[in-house]
């Protein structure tokens, strides 16, 4: 219950794999959780060469891995489209995205996707942000019978968890999973995937990194002593404390505007 922001931690051996020699410790620390989540999504999607993939949140921690692994799987005949801000477009293209959609300029986003990709729809949508409206309107740009895979539904007013937002989240999940189409349900398969790590997932990430098929995009690296003190504060004080202090690492994390992974440096390599 103390988290993992510590110099030493005990984990079960099934959650550990060796670091490839061609990967630094800083980058290796960013591979496990986000890379494992991406592998979990790819496995659940059943995509193959020539398929078309949409990644919402393509510049985030999980999204950057999904873009790379998806392109590795679909190959040159397939298509990977990523949604992110225009400022991150070049980075995401360099990771393998064939096309980038700027959600800030292409509004409403769902209408743009329908108009641009409605004739050749996607074979899977990976939503690493959790935008309910993107799922609700997805029949216009997601092929019938193909999945919409979500990492979690974000409240409409941002990452602020209130009882009202929790109730809305629960309602959306029930609707997405169980509401029949003849009662207004979305006629596309929805799945909220858990991200519990397994050695198979971690081994797959390690092998892809060793091959050079994926790389860890690092937003920033922060010395441990600059962020460690925040653990002494109770969750109810967390947001107020961040507003008055200089823990930019946590502020960047909460902003959901990171360009890749935020790394805490325990000690110099």
């Amino acid at each position: 219950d103390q988290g993992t922001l510590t110099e030493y931690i005990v984990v079960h051996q099934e959650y550990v794999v060796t670091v490839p020699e061609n990967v630094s410790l800083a980058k290796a620390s960013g591979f496990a959780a986000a890379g494992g989540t991406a592998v979990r999504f790819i496995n659940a999607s059943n995509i193959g060469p020539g398929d078309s993939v949409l990644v919402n949140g393509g510049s985030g921690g999980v999204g950057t891995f999904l873009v790379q692994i998806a392109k590795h799987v679909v190959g040159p005949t397939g298509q990977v489209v990523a949604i992110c801000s225009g400022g991150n477009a070049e980075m995401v293209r360099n990771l393998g995205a064939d096309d980038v959609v700027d959600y800030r300029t292409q509004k409403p986003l769902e209408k743009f996707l329908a108009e641009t990709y409605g004739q050749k729809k996607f074979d899977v949508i990976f939503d690493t942000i959790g935008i309910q409206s993107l799922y609700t309107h997805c029949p216009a740009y997601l092929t019938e019978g193909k999945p919409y895979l979500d990492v979690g539904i974000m409240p409409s007013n941002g990452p602020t968890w209130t009882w009202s937002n929790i109730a809305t989240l629960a309602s959306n999940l029930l609707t997405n999973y169980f509401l029949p189409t003849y009662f207004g349900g979305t006629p596309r398969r929805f799945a909220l995937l858990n991200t519990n790590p397994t050695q198979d997932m971690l081994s797959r990430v390690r092998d892809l990194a060793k091959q050079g098929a994926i790389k860890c995009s690092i937003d920033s690296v922060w010395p441990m002593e600059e962020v460690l003190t925040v653990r002494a504060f109770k969750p109810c004080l967390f947001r107020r404390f961040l507003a008055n202090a200089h823990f930019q690492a946590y502020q960047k994390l909460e902003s959901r505007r990171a360009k890749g992974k935020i790394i805490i440096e325990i000690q110099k390599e």
Side-chain angles (χ1 to χ4, degrees), residues 59-81:
S59 61
V62 176
T64 52
F65 285 111
L66 276 171
V67 168
Q68 295 175 83
I69 301 175
K71 189 58 185 176
H72 181 74
V73 173
V74 303
T77 60
Q79 180 185 38
V80 175
V81 178

Side-chain angles (χ1 to χ4, degrees), residues 1-9 224 226-235 238 241-242 247 250 266:
D1 61 353
Q2 295 298 311
T4 57
L5 189 56
T6 180
E7 291 182 280
Y8 300 96
I9 186 171
M224 184 177 181
E226 290 189 14
V227 294
L228 189 61
T229 311
V230 76
R231 289 177 59 193
F233 289 78
K234 295 181 179 180
F238 187 60
F241 172 72
L242 288 178
F247 290 92
Y250 282 96
I266 305 298

Side-chain angles (χ1 to χ4, degrees), residues 190-207:
F190 175 90
L192 185 67
L193 299 183
N194 71 68
T195 56
N196 294 330
T198 67
Q199 192 160 79
D200 286 343
M201 290 164 56
L202 295 176
S203 295
R204 175 63 171 154
V205 173
R206 178 198 57 198
D207 292 344

Side-chain angles (χ1 to χ4, degrees), residues 32-185:
T37 300
V39 168
R40 173 81 171 87
F41 272 63
I42 294 292
N43 290 344
S45 70
N46 293 317
I47 57 172
D51 283 342
S52 182
V53 176
L54 177 65
V55 180
N56 185 33
S59 61
V62 176
T64 52
F65 285 111
L66 276 171
V67 168
Q68 295 175 83
I69 301 175
K71 189 58 185 176
H72 181 74
V73 173
V74 303
T77 60
Q79 180 185 38
V80 175
V81 178
I83 300 173
C84 64
S85 66
N88 295 334
E90 182 178 358
M91 177 193 75
V92 175
R93 283 195 179 93
N94 288 337
L95 292 175
D98 298 292
D99 197 7
V100 176
V101 177
D102 184 350
Y103 68 88
R104 291 178 174 175
T105 60
Q106 304 298 345
K107 297 181 178 180
L109 178 61
E110 297 80 9
K111 181 180 179 181
F112 174 82
L113 293 173
E115 293 175 348
T116 308
Y117 303 101
Q119 295 301 312
K120 188 180 185 303
K121 298 181 179 181
F122 297 106
D123 296 295
V124 65
I125 295 177
F126 299 120
D127 190 352
T128 73
I129 305 298
I131 306 300
Q132 176 65 23
S133 60
L134 195 65
Y135 171 67
T136 303
H137 295 88
C138 75
Y141 39 85
L142 177 62
T143 302
E144 185 176 359
K146 299 298 184 177
Y148 186 103
L149 304 179
D150 203 336
V151 75
I153 300 176
M154 185 176 71
S156 59
N157 60 347
T160 302
W161 292 104
T162 64
W163 285 114
S164 175
N165 284 339
I166 292 173
T168 300
L169 169 62
S171 175
N172 286 339
L173 286 176
L174 289 172
T175 297
N176 294 351
Y177 272 111
F178 301 114
L179 186 65
T181 56
Y182 51 81
F183 284 144

